[in-house]
Amino acid sequence: MPALASHRKPRPRVRSTTPAIGFTTAALASVTLLSTQSALAAPAPKPSIEDVQKKVDDLYRQAGTATQHYDQAKEASAKQRTEVDTLLDDIAQRADKLNDARRKLGNYAAAQYRDGALAPTATFFLANDPQSFFDQTHLMNRMATNQQQAVTDFRTKQAEASKKRAEAVTSLETLTTSQTRLRTSKQNVQDKLTEARTLLSKLTAEEKARLAELEQKKKDEARRKAAELAKKQADAKAEADRKAKEAGGGTGTGTGSGSGTGTGSGGSDSSATTKAGKVLAFARAQIGKPYVWGATGPSSYDCSGLTQAAWKAAGVSIPRTTWDQVNVGTRIATADLQPGDLVFFYDDISHVGIYKGDGMMIHAPKPGANVREESIYYMPIHGSVRPG
């Protein structure tokens, strides 16, 4: 008997993907491992000493800017506090006057309630004679006028007191804003200084020595530029003196005219020179005192506190911050600087020093340093002014 053919369909072969899945998982694991190893094997490169120097200088400059914000907020806060105190004193005085007016009105009201008010006809019939009637009527009119004036005075004083109270509320709100700015500026200064000190504390002894070497190189270059300026100024003065001498050796009439003009100019120059002398004498006496941000003397200073105090010693009042000081007096080119002039630094005008001549200045540099002489080229110059 022949075998029957099978009617079952052949079962299709299913290809297993397990090896592929295993390979993919292994590949991902390998990539992850390699990435982790790569991250661990490649730490961030340590900054160079030059980068550290630049970063520290920038942090100190930012701290200087924050100090000027602090000085500005402190001055505004003090001014606002004075204004608030004045307003509160004024309100107290007005309250006393308002109470006096209120008592006067109360007396009038009590008298009217006690005595009552009679009609003019009744007053006429109750009077002893016509003259008494007219006297009483005149007196009543005067009393009515006084009462009306008392009411008017009371209302005026009440309105003025309300106005002053509103001013006091506004002034107190402004004071609160100034004090908030003061706290924020103070925190900003502290944050920048802490960051700079932390950066410096991480340096090795060798790195610190290298940093000191770079700092000295920077100072030497600044002094070289100061010497160049001093030579240019000396040459310019010598040339000016030569021309003045030649002009003075002309005709007789020319000499007389020159003498007259020179006397007037000399008086003005003499006054400016006297002031500059006082400014520099004061500044020299502060050399060695520490820089303290927000300080105005006498034991410590920040940069603008020193310049303000020095010019005050010469009888000239200048504002508190560098941003205001730069707008006082006459703008002066660097080549034309004279002793006593103020030299400002950085694009944001966050530092100032007192020019002493020969390309040098006296200034309060930064936290951790003392008032000292330094080349004006130690920092980028913004501009200069001559107060007075």
Side-chain angles (χ1 to χ4, degrees), residues 152-264:
T152 301
D153 288 346
F154 175 78
R155 288 176 176 171
T156 300
K157 288 181 172 61
Q158 191 177 42
E160 290 175 348
S162 297
K163 181 180 178 182
K164 287 298 178 182
R165 277 195 294 270
E167 289 179 10
V169 170
T170 302
S171 192
L172 280 170
E173 291 174 350
T174 304
L175 175 60
T176 300
T177 302
S178 296
Q179 290 174 334
T180 301
R181 283 176 51 213
L182 185 63
R183 287 191 294 270
T184 302
S185 299
K186 182 177 182 179
Q187 189 60 51
N188 287 340
V189 175
Q190 292 172 336
D191 289 346
K192 297 301 180 185
L193 294 179
T194 299
E195 190 176 351
R197 289 164 184 156
T198 301
L199 194 59
L200 290 172
S201 68
K202 294 180 180 179
L203 297 178
T204 64
E206 184 180 349
E207 289 171 334
K208 289 179 180 178
R210 173 61 179 154
L211 186 63
E213 181 183 335
L214 291 175
E215 179 68 14
Q216 187 59 51
K217 186 176 180 181
K218 179 180 176 182
K219 288 183 177 181
D220 291 342
E221 177 62 17
R223 283 185 173 275
R224 184 189 65 77
K225 290 182 178 180
E228 288 181 357
L229 176 62
K231 185 177 184 305
K232 288 179 182 178
Q233 289 180 329
D235 291 344
K237 185 178 184 303
E239 180 65 15
D241 290 344
R242 183 186 64 78
K243 289 181 177 180
K245 188 175 181 180
E246 289 178 354
T251 61
T253 54
T255 303
S257 175
S259 174
T261 305
T263 302

Side-chain angles (χ1 to χ4, degrees), residues 134-148:
F134 288 117
D135 290 343
Q136 290 181 31
T137 301
H138 180 66
L139 178 61
M140 293 300 291
N141 288 337
R142 287 186 59 187
M143 289 180 64
T145 301
N146 290 340
Q147 289 177 9
Q148 184 60 42

